[in-house]
């Protein structure tokens, strides 16, 4: 029984290289999602009525389509629409995950900004700050702390969703596992190891993110 | 570049798959609700070892990727236990486990947020534990957990798309198959995305409305 | 149009610093908060604005430093006109300090950082200089020992004193106090009023919206009574509290004497 896992031990280097792709995929897509989310969230709160409505519609559209469908659409469909040949799967994965998570993060940012009292904006402007300074130095830092718990949930979700990139042949961890399973026909050791690995990885990351939040939360008290 | 006829023709071809998607959602959700409520109650009121086990179970399903869970059930379960369920039943089972875990966390938090004094007041009136729960605590908790439950429904509706990777013929599966038949990739996939959009968008808006309506007032 | 009353009978010869002329302000909701208000504050003068809740006092203050636009009339600070939307608004806000009813300290910054924030980000002063100034101001309001404390750990009175120091850090030409003591516990009102009184003695020009009648009587050079978006009556504290001209003013003063108002006005 224990020896069943020999197949995993024999392929550790291969799996490790795939893990690296998983990490790169997540770092890139989360970075993209944070930028998109911040821009769209700020746009919705301060951009005026029409920007709010326009962005709101775009965000709702993205949130209504499954990430798997977004992923295959970006990978197979988008290059056809743009007339691109040779569209890297990794890029498609980053775009799909980034846009998808970005739409959710935009709503988190919007909620966070909205939760800061109007008086804080007044106080900042009354000191003579520009709008940009008021948002950047006073409103956003307060909102950011309140946004952290849902943001952390979303980051964890992004990591879980990233296994779907295997369907467009991004050579990440789950893709590697499937390949190994296809070659050896030993699903038990391979998928069980992967399950345990993801469990430990995600629990660890969630703990770390939570610690970070607790460490800075004292400053969010208002 | 975008060939409209292929786009329009895709919809009738996707329809049978769409029915499977809806079927799966409608079947999984009620089961998940029942399982979720049992898990939440076990975590709140069961003796400690049972509560711990329920928590562990929920945490497991919440922290691993759904696709991996489905693969495990689909490939590992038959090979190790000899239980060979039809593909549809396997993925439905996996979805129930996954969705109920998220729902139960929501239920638990909602129930725990009702002050113990409410339960005590019910018991003081001579109600049984069961009556106090279903007549006093649950109705109050419901308005707190309802919006989240509704968005979980939408989430489930979208997540059923993963079953296409396990040869269950939902709408995504049909689209990916059709794509390899007529090579109208862009049109077919756009039709697929639009199908989800048309069905999920009103539901998502409904959820937003529920959130606004049931915003916690204290 | 109503001309602002500039007859101070020789009590104040300094030039007018804040000049409000016939100002109207109607909210998008249709509420008319200000319906033709005029008043003047001379340099070094303390002008107290009193009146029942909802009379437009706080709105008037927000209009003075351009946090809210006005629909008609004119507000001038020195020789510059205030326009809420323009870039000048920032220039004017730099010159005028404001203290809010709900303090509005920045909760993510220590007391010292709150006081330093204006000179740092708006005036772009060097760090060392800012710190010296901020520490001196905290000492002035009696909070030297609280420099590294977050607002949440301060009492209401302490928070408001930090807020005053924060406004003073910009070395303003005038200060606006919007019911600075209304949200405070009774026992901490005094410490804030003392700071305000000290400022008045030092010759700061102050526009003070308040429910503290004793403060208005003892510290103000000029008292303005507002009601329903209009100036009801104005004069020296001696006249307003001693022999008000209008029955409405007498009524109001009687009411606040019997029920010391500590109400919160939006």
């Amino acid at each position: 029984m224990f020896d069943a896992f020999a197949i995993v031990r024999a392929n550790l280097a291969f799996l490790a290289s795939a893990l690296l792709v998983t990490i790169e995929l997540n770092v890139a897509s989360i970075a993209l999602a944070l930028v998109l989310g911040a821009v769209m969230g700020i746009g919705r709160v301060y951009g005026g009525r029409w920007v709010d409505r326009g962005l709101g519609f775009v965000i709702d559209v993205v949130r209504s389509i499954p990430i798997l469908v977004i992923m295959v659409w970006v990978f197979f469909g988008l290059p056809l629409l743009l007339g691109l040949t040779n569209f890297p799967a990794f890029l498609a994965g980053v775009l799909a995950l980034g846009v998808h998570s970005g739409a959710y993060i935009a709503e988190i940012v919007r909620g966070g900004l909205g939760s800061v009292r109007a008086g804080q904006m007044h106080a900042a402007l009354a000191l003579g700050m520009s709008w940009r300074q008021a948002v950047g130095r006073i409103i956003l830092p307060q909102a950011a702390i309140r946004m952290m718990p849902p943001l952390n949930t979303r980051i964890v979700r992004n990591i879980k969703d990233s296994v779907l990139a295997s369907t467009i042949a991004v050579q990440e961890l789950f893709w590697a596992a499937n390949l190994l399973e296809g070659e050896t026909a030993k699903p038990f050791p391979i998928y069980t190891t992967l399950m345990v690995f993801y469990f430990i990885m995600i629990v660890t990351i969630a703990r770390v993110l939570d610690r970070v939040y607790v460490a800075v939360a004292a400053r969010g008290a208002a | 570049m975008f060939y409209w006829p292929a786009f329009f023709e895709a919809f009738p071809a996707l329809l049978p798959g769409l029915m499977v998607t809806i079927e799966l959602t409608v079947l999984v959700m009620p089961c998940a609700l029942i399982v979720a409520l049992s898990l939440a109650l076990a975590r709140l009121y069961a003796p400690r070892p049972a509560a711990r086990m329920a928590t562990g179970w929920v945490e497991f399903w919440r922290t691993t990727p759904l696709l991996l869970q489905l693969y495990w059930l689909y490939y590992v379960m038959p090979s190790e236990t000899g239980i060979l369920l039809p593909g549809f039943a396997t993925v439905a089972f996996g979805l129930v486990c996954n969705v109920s875990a998220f729902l139960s966390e929501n239920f638990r938090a909602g129930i725990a947020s009702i002050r113990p004094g409410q339960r005590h007041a019910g018991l003081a009136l001579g109600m049984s534990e069961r009556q106090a729960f279903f007549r006093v605590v649950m109705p109050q908790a419901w308005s707190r957990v309802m919006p989240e439950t509704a968005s979980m429904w939408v989430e489930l509706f979208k997540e059923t798309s993963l079953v296409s990777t396990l040869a269950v013929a939902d709408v995504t599966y049909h689209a990916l198959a059709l794509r390899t038949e007529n090579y109208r990739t862009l049109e077919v996939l756009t039709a697929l995305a639009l199908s989800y959009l048309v069905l999920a968008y009103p539901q998502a808006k409904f959820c937003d409305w529920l959130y606004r309506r049931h915003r916690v007032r204290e | 149009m109503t001309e602002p009353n500039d007859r101070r009978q020789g009590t104040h010869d300094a030039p007018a610093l804040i000049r409000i002329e016939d100002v109207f302000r109607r909210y998008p909701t249709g509420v008319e908060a200000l319906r033709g208000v005029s008043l003047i504050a001379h340099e070094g003068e303390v002008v107290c604005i009193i009146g029942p809740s909802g009379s437009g006092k706080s709105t008037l203050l927000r209009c003075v430093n351009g946090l809210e636009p006005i629909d008609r009339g004119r507000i001038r600070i020195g020789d510059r006109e205030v326009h809420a939307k323009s870039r000048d608004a920032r220039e004017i806000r730099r010159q005028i300090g404001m203290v809010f009813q709900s303090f509005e300290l920045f909760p993510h910054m220590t007391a010292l950082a709150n006081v330093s924030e204006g000179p740092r980000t708006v005036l772009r002063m060097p760090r060392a200089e800012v710190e010296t100034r901020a520490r001196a101001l905290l000492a002035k309001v009696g909070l030297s020992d609280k420099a590294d404390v977050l607002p949440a750990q301060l009492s209401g009175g302490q928070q408001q004193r930090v807020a005053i120091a924060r406004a003073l850090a910009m070395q303003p030409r005038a200060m606006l106090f919007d019911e600075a003591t209304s949200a405070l516990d009774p026992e901490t009102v005094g410490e804030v009023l003392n700071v305000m009184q000290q400022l008045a003695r030092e010759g700061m020009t102050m526009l003070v919206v308040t429910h503290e009648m004793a403060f208005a009587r003892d510290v103000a050079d000029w008292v303005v009574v507002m009601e329903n978006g209009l100036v009801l009556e104005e004069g020296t504290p001696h006249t307003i509290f001693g022999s008000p001209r209008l029955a409405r003013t007498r009524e109001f003063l009687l009411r606040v004497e019997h029920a010391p108002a500590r109400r919160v006005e939006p």
Side-chain angles (χ1 to χ4, degrees):
Chain A
M1 166 80 180
F2 187 72
D3 237 339
F5 288 90
I7 177 76
V8 176
R9 284 200 300 278
N11 289 286
L12 271 184
F14 173 62
L15 290 171
S17 67
L19 173 62
L20 194 63
V21 178
T22 291
I23 293 169
E24 287 167 355
L25 179 65
N26 276 294
V27 169
S29 59
I30 290 167
L32 175 64
L34 287 172
V35 172
L36 282 177
V39 170
M40 292 195 293
I42 291 171
R44 281 202 75 176
V45 176
Y46 299 114
R49 193 167 159 189
W50 291 106
V51 174
D52 178 31
R53 287 199 179 167
L55 285 174
F57 180 72
V58 171
I59 288 165
D60 284 340
V61 166
V62 174
R63 292 197 304 164
S64 301
I65 301 172
I67 173 66
L68 177 63
V69 175
I70 295 179
M71 210 160 258
V72 293
W73 192 90
V74 169
F75 182 58
F76 296 114
L78 190 62
L80 293 174
L81 195 65
L82 301 176
L84 296 173
T85 52
N86 200 357
F87 191 61
F90 182 82
L91 183 60
V94 170
L95 275 180
L97 283 168
V99 168
H100 184 248
S101 293
Y104 285 90
I105 291 174
E107 290 302 279
I108 295 171
V109 171
R110 183 172 78 116
L113 292 174
S115 75
V116 180
R117 289 185 291 171
Q120 287 285 309
M121 185 57 131
H122 280 161
L125 293 178
L127 273 183
M129 287 192 191
S130 66
W131 178 86
R132 193 186 292 256
Q133 285 172 327
V135 172
R137 292 192 57 88
I138 306 303
I139 309 294
L140 258 183
Q142 294 181 53
I145 295 164
R146 285 173 220 183
M147 285 164 1
M148 275 179 74
L151 261 184
N152 291 348
T153 309
R154 208 2 90 178
I155 287 170
V156 165
R157 181 62 193 269
N158 193 86
I159 298 171
K160 289 194 276 173
D161 282 346
S162 73
V163 300
L164 293 175
S166 62
T167 58
I168 56 169
V170 175
Q171 304 186 356
E172 50 77 70
L173 204 48
F174 191 60
W175 175 89
N178 287 342
L179 189 74
L180 220 51
E181 199 277 328
E183 282 174 3
T184 62
K186 285 188 174 132
F188 173 73
I190 294 166
Y191 289 132
T192 306
T193 307
L194 203 62
M195 192 81 102
V196 171
F197 178 78
Y198 266 102
F199 183 78
I200 293 170
M201 175 170 76
I202 288 173
V203 166
T204 310
I205 290 172
R207 283 268 159 82
V208 170
L209 291 175
D210 199 49
R211 284 276 162 78
V212 174
Y213 169 64
V214 170
V216 293
R219 304 212 139 199
Chain B
M1 190 163 30
F2 194 89
Y3 186 60
W4 288 99
F7 174 71
F8 291 117
E9 281 160 19
F11 288 100
L14 293 181
L15 199 59
L18 211 50
M19 297 318 290
V20 173
T21 294
I22 293 169
E23 214 176 289
L24 201 52
T25 311
V26 171
L27 190 76
V28 165
M29 193 65 181
C31 300
L33 282 172
I34 294 166
V35 175
L37 187 58
S38 318
L39 284 169
L41 291 178
R43 290 176 68 188
L44 284 167
Y45 302 122
R48 186 161 268 197
R52 283 265 170 84
M53 270 173 61
T55 303
W57 172 262
V58 166
E59 282 312 303
F60 168 76
W61 290 96
R62 270 160 45 92
T63 48
T64 46
L66 173 61
L67 189 64
L68 186 50
Q69 294 164 1
L70 295 178
Y71 266 60
W72 201 89
L73 290 174
Y74 194 86
Y75 290 110
V76 180
M77 204 170 62
S79 80
E80 295 305 310
T81 64
I83 303 172
L84 188 62
L85 291 174
F88 186 86
T90 307
V91 297
F93 176 70
L95 284 169
V96 168
C97 290
N98 182 281
V99 171
S100 63
F102 281 95
L103 282 176
S104 85
E105 176 56 25
N106 172 31
F107 287 178
R108 188 198 60 77
I111 294 168
S113 75
I114 305 300
R115 281 172 294 149
Q118 287 292 313
R119 184 177 135 255
H120 294 161
L123 295 177
L125 277 180
M127 289 185 184
S128 66
E129 280 284 358
R130 179 189 295 260
Q131 284 171 325
F133 179 75
F134 282 104
R135 300 201 52 86
V136 179
V137 176
M138 182 85 159
Q140 296 181 57
W142 179 238
S143 82
R144 300 194 183 196
V145 302
M146 206 237 292
E148 193 73 27
T149 307
S151 23
M152 201 60 222
W153 160 273
V154 181
E155 200 61 26
L156 167 64
F157 176 74
K158 293 193 293 166
E159 293 206 310
T160 56
S161 61
L162 301 202
V163 307
S164 62
T165 59
L166 292 166
V168 174
D170 78 325
V171 63
T172 305
Y173 179 88
H174 273 269
L176 295 175
L178 182 62
R179 174 182 91 84
T180 53
E181 275 167 34
N182 66 4
Y183 295 104
R184 285 283 163 198
T185 300
L186 180 61
E187 293 78 0
V188 169
L189 291 182
T190 305
L192 172 66
L194 195 67
S195 310
Y196 276 109
L197 179 62
V198 166
L199 287 173
Y201 188 86
Q203 298 179 38
K205 285 275 118 186
F206 177 67
C207 287
D208 287 349
W209 178 78
L210 280 180
Y211 272 108
R212 277 199 303 277
R213 225 183 127 221
H214 290 271
R215 193 172 294 153
V216 177
R217 296 169 293 250
E218 270 185 308
Chain C
M1 112 155 220
T2 53
E3 271 294 321
N5 183 335
D6 201 6
R7 285 167 297 154
R8 298 286 204 266
Q9 285 132 357
T11 52
H12 254 282
D13 307 325
L17 179 59
I18 302 173
R19 200 183 170 87
I20 300 166
E21 292 172 6
D22 207 26
V23 163
F24 280 74
R25 167 67 176 151
R26 186 195 165 99
Y27 283 109
T29 52
V31 178
E32 288 183 326
L34 301 174
R35 303 187 295 153
V37 173
S38 300
L39 67 88
I40 278 179
H42 297 85
E43 250 165 51
E45 193 178 35
V46 177
V47 175
C48 278
I49 307 174
I50 62 175
S53 298
S55 56
K57 310 181 298 285
S58 297
T59 306
L60 183 65
L61 281 202
R62 283 198 294 272
C63 290
V64 168
N65 70 348
L67 287 174
E68 249 176 65
I70 55 177
D71 299 317
R72 238 169 68 200
R74 209 154 74 124
I75 298 175
R76 292 174 58 177
I77 310 291
D79 51 2
R80 304 182 72 145
E81 196 168 336
V82 179
H83 298 284
K85 293 265 165 166
S86 75
R87 274 188 181 276
D88 294 1
R90 276 180 67 195
E91 186 51 45
I92 280 164
R93 289 180 196 139
R94 272 179 216 186
Q95 298 176 13
I96 297 198
M98 182 156 185
V99 177
F100 299 81
Q101 179 180 347
S102 46
F103 328 136
E104 300 299 348
L105 286 183
F106 305 135
H108 56 306
M109 300 178 182
T110 63
L112 186 70
N114 262 283
V115 180
S116 311
E117 185 60 16
R120 280 275 305 281
T121 30
V122 179
L123 303 179
R124 304 219 176 273
M125 279 167 51
R127 192 180 281 262
E129 205 175 312
V130 171
E131 179 159 349
T132 319
R133 180 186 286 187
R135 287 200 186 275
L137 283 167
L138 279 177
K140 183 183 170 122
V141 299
L143 291 171
S144 295
D145 53 328
K146 302 287 184 191
D148 300 317
V149 165
L150 288 170
Q153 292 154 272
L154 294 172
S155 74
Q158 292 170 331
Q159 290 195 47
Q160 196 60 299
R161 278 143 70 200
V162 174
I164 292 172
R166 176 177 72 179
L168 290 175
M170 298 293 289
Q171 300 187 326
R173 296 173 69 186
M175 290 276 284
L176 311 175
F177 290 86
D178 184 6
E179 299 197 24
T181 57
S182 295
L184 295 176
D185 295 330
E187 65 265 27
T188 61
V189 168
E191 60 193 58
V192 173
L193 291 179
N194 284 343
V195 171
M196 289 166 67
Q197 192 160 8
Q198 190 193 339
L199 271 182
R201 271 201 300 270
E202 289 167 7
M204 174 63 76
T205 310
M206 292 161 66
L207 212 51
V208 183
V209 168
T210 187
H211 288 300
E212 298 291 336
M213 293 306 140
F215 181 84
R217 190 180 306 141
D218 302 341
V219 181
D221 299 298
W222 195 251
V223 176
V224 178
V225 186
M226 280 184 70
E227 192 183 78
N228 282 329
L230 290 168
V231 172
L232 212 56
E233 182 167 357
E234 55 184 317
T236 60
H238 185 73
T239 337
I240 296 293
F241 292 104
S243 50
R245 204 163 37 85
L246 299 178
R248 305 268 288 281
T249 311
R250 277 197 294 275
E251 262 167 49
F252 167 71
L253 289 174
L254 242 110
R255 263 207 316 277
V256 288
E257 244 165 60
H258 289 300
R262 222 176 282 295
R263 247 167 289 128
V264 172
E265 199 181 353

